[in-house]
Amino acid sequence: MTKYYRVLKDTPLWKTGAILSNSMENNDGYKPIDDIWNVTEQNEYLSPKCVEGNDEWFERVYASKTDKFLSKAEKLAEYAKEMIT
């Protein structure tokens, strides 16, 4: 399972809006899915301990069918719409 987080505030590594992913298979830590948000040219990552549960800096998001990343509230709304239609 891959987890995704959106950066909520600029960090020394990434700008606000970057999407970070952490695949449980490699378990290296969270890395950006695209380098356009990188502040540094080094390929850095943050440990899950630094990202998960740090709601001030990172928001858990979920991949959708349209390759858009959704917050928990957006994901629940999308699920509700699918159940109704």
Side-chain angles (χ1 to χ4, degrees):
M1 179 176 102
T2 301
K3 290 184 179 180
Y4 299 96
Y5 280 83
R6 178 182 292 131
V7 177
L8 298 176
K9 294 182 183 180
D10 286 351
T11 71
L13 299 175
W14 310 294
K15 295 281 187 190
T16 301
I19 302 294
L20 309 178
S21 70
N22 181 15
S23 172
M24 293 303 161
E25 291 84 41
N26 66 19
N27 205 23
D28 288 338
Y30 284 90
K31 297 179 182 181
I33 61 170
D34 197 314
D35 64 355
I36 62 170
W37 303 98
N38 288 6
V39 173
T40 178
E41 292 191 23
Q42 297 176 353
N43 190 15
E44 297 290 336
Y45 65 89
L46 286 178
S47 71
K49 184 178 178 180
C50 292
V51 174
E52 295 173 4
N54 195 344
D55 298 338
E56 182 180 344
W57 292 87
F58 305 100
E59 172 189 30
R60 176 84 189 264
V61 293
Y62 303 85
S64 71
K65 296 175 190 171
T66 62
D67 293 332
K68 176 182 171 189
F69 288 91
L70 306 172
S71 68
K72 188 179 232 179
E74 292 169 324
K75 186 70 174 176
L76 290 172
E78 183 179 272
Y79 177 73
K81 287 176 191 173
E82 287 179 8
M83 295 302 292
I84 292 170
T85 56

